[in-house]
Amino acid sequence: MASPVEDLRMEEEEEQRPPLTRALLHRSATNNTSQVAMVGSNPCPIESLDYEMIENDLFDQNWRTRSKADQVWYVVLKWTFCFAIGILTGTVGFVINLAVENVAGIKYEAVSALMASSRCRPHFAALSLCFFFLTTTKNPIIASLLNQHLIFSWIDRSSYWTAFWVFTGSNLALLLFATSITAFVSPAAGGSGIPEVKAYLNGVDAPNIFSLRTLAVKVAGNVAAVSSSLHVGKAGPMVHTGACIAAIFGQGGSRKYGLTCRWLRYFKNDRDRRDLVTIGAGAGVAAAFRAPVGGVLFALESLSSWWRSALIWRSFFTTAVVAVVLRLFIELCGKGRCGMFGQGGLIMYDVSTMFDNLMTYHLKDIPTVILIGVTGALLGGLYNFLMMKVLRVYTKINEYDNKSPILVFPLFFMSCENQGGRVNKLLLAAVVSIITSCCVFGLPWLAPCRPCPRTGPRASPDGTCHALNRFRRFHCPPGHYNDLASLFLNINDDAIRNLYTTGTNDVYHPGTMVAFFVASYALGVLSYGVVAPSGLFVPIILTGATYGRLVAMLLGARSGLDHGLVAILGSASFLGGTLRMTVSVCVIILELTNNLLLLPLVMLVLLISKTVADSFNSSIYDLILSHKGLPHLDGHAEPYMRQLTVGDVVAGPLRSFAGVEKVGNVVHTLRTTGHHAFPVVDEPPFSPVPVLYGLVLRAHLLVLLKKREFLAGPERCPKEYVEGRFQAEDFDKRGSGKQDTIDDVELSPEEMEMYVDLHPFTNTSPYTVVETMSLAKALVLFREVGLRHLLVVPKACDRSPVVGILTRHDFMPEHILGLHPVLLGSRWKRLRWQKGAVAKHFRSLLMWIANSG
């Protein structure tokens, strides 16, 4: 979504740009853009999805032309699948939260028990003084007392070291487990999965992104990664998890597992699968945040490239089912029946049940809100910039193939022959885990012990801090707590809840907020690139909440806003500065906090942060899409596309078939090219002049070759012949990432000399554009309809009936600017703050002031 600044800049450049002469538009190369992209953590081949309706002689056999009962069953199945997706996604979301709460809870309780077993924090200066007097004194009684003090101090110190090693070792084991199953079992499960889901809904398919194996690794790996104290979240992986569950329903059955009911075959097409994946992604957001409306809006605003009104109703129904399922599980797990799972799980930062008078704000607080929005935009732009730098470094490390022996574990050496990349991923994960553990366990030692509040809204008269949610003593004496340890040694959900809590203005020390903000910001940048299922949403919320509280502390009495309220605004501003989403984030935050009073302030913060941050770079998901090499088509055409026609960018050479083609020619073309569609041109004797009959898909040609229904001579076969040997189901699209290859076809020399009639299997109504159409107009048609192939026909009738085929890669800037480098200077770029531009405008301002004076 472009901001007003971007729209104004684009209009100005359109007015000021001189016309480009046609002589400069010289096509110098064919389309050589990469057909490989990073999917999860590994490079994989990608291909486009095809949402176009195929119309040919077999179309009459399709279920859409059958009885009314079949169409009713189709509608019933769609709603049944939505209901099942909601139940399964809600269940999986609960299981993930339950596992994280218990695994991380057991770890933190063990560390706290070890810390509590120590009597006091050892003071190393006192230890040194004791050792000096022990070595110099000659009094045996004093020497005995000093020696005893040294022994107890060493015991105390060894208990802290034991707690540290338990904490670090468990974190390392959990993260290595998550990285191992991701790298060795399903690399497509790495990362958050949101860029892959967004690319799929834009029309890009890749192997195994929605497979059952990817789903299992995503769930288990995310539980381990989040429980390992790594600064990652569950929201992004839950989006991918919901999409996987939905995509499995859209596979149309499975012959391998005996699920071949004819009703399931209704969904063996890219259009229905796209709708199911969109619904599943929204259900994943609802399961991650208990935000059903936010889940629908997130899928609409951030993920989906095509949206229909009917999809809103089905998505809303699915997310409502998710909300009901989660509520049911919460009630079943009441009173400690699910281990350590409690109010900390299934995050709902309810800030409206107590102290509603603290959630008020006035007109004088608007400057504070604006400051938070601008600062969040600056921090968000820098966050995205640093994240991409780190991801590029991590990618080089993961792809480096070191063939020398590497010490993987202290006990043995492992040869990295052909496995260097995987070993490097494990080593990188181990380094990040150790750094994270040292920061999380070491920084709380710098924070002072604070007494439990005995007065005020969060008072604990008995001095046990029970009114504070899961606050940690760490090394402090009874009746005290360590505020920095209470943030570090908790799962992110509890830490966010503590920061959002109202009436806690005096609970945290300003130095604690500074230390936690710096650590959270840095660890968020360093953690995401690890090869494990990990999300960005929750760490960004946590970092923003910390920065919000810090701003409130710095303003002090100049701001009448409660620190918990400012923490919520800080999260909103940082989300707007990094993710660049407005409506969905606003609704998600309102559903998380359960307080509509925040609506005006959250809206203002999000609008300011997104507008300002768009001046620096794109959203983090768009940057990751570009980094992975996924060819995502934006919703707008860049201005230089208006200076080009489709004939200027169409690449060759063009391969086509006759209406009745020799089998050997078909096999040779399929083996020597990677094209997925071929024009079918009728020539004499089937047509007086060459005429474009339609477009035949590679997948359909492979089905024809496998069935071996060939003709002895070059003649058209009657319609009855086709209907008796073929069914429309034979040409249904297989599941995501699954496809037949020409290598699977084995034909005899006699069969290679026979013929095949392509007319009954050719799409007779493909989308076509004339070669003089502007590239910008063709892009709008290509993206809005959801095409995979767009035929280019000549302007004149005395030429070949087809000029070429436009695919997704022909609209990529890399291809267009590679063909026409002269356009590099006129390419529209978003308004970015650059050093030279800022200096130029500053000098102009000074000159204007001088002339006015």
Side-chain angles (χ1 to χ4, degrees), residues 686-740:
F686 302 106
S687 175
V689 294
V691 59
L692 176 64
Y693 185 80
L695 193 71
V696 62
L697 300 180
R698 183 187 191 93
H700 293 181
L701 291 174
L702 292 174
V703 172
L704 293 177
L705 294 177
K706 285 189 174 182
K707 279 188 168 290
R708 291 179 169 82
E709 297 292 343
F710 304 139
L711 304 173
E715 58 184 3
R716 296 193 62 169
C717 54
K719 186 175 182 180
E720 296 77 12
Y721 177 87
V722 175
E723 293 178 352
R725 289 168 171 78
F726 296 94
Q727 294 182 349
E729 290 79 5
D730 297 333
F731 298 89
D732 285 339
K733 178 72 178 291
R734 299 187 63 184
S736 176
K738 302 176 182 178
Q739 58 182 349
D740 297 322

Side-chain angles (χ1 to χ4, degrees), residues 360-386:
T360 59
Y361 50 88
H362 305 281
L363 186 62
K364 65 178 182 179
D365 298 319
I366 297 300
T368 301
V369 176
I370 295 175
L371 173 64
I372 292 174
V374 173
T375 309
L378 298 176
L379 293 173
L382 179 61
Y383 190 89
N384 292 358
F385 173 78
L386 296 176

Side-chain angles (χ1 to χ4, degrees), residues 277-295:
V277 169
T278 303
I279 293 170
V285 176
F289 295 113
R290 288 173 61 194
V293 180

Side-chain angles (χ1 to χ4, degrees), residues 427-456:
L427 291 176
L428 178 61
V431 171
V432 173
S433 177
I434 293 173
I435 293 175
T436 302
S437 297
C438 291
C439 290
V440 170
F441 194 89
L443 288 178
W445 291 95
L446 303 177
C449 294
R450 299 170 66 86
C452 297
R454 296 179 180 272
T455 59

Side-chain angles (χ1 to χ4, degrees), residues 61 239 247 295 352 421 456 478 480 487 489 493 586 638 640 759 765 796 821 852:
Q61 300 183 27
V239 173
S352 64
H480 293 71
L487 295 174
L489 298 179
D493 298 350
C586 180
E638 298 197 23
Y640 67 83
H759 292 95
S765 58
S852 300

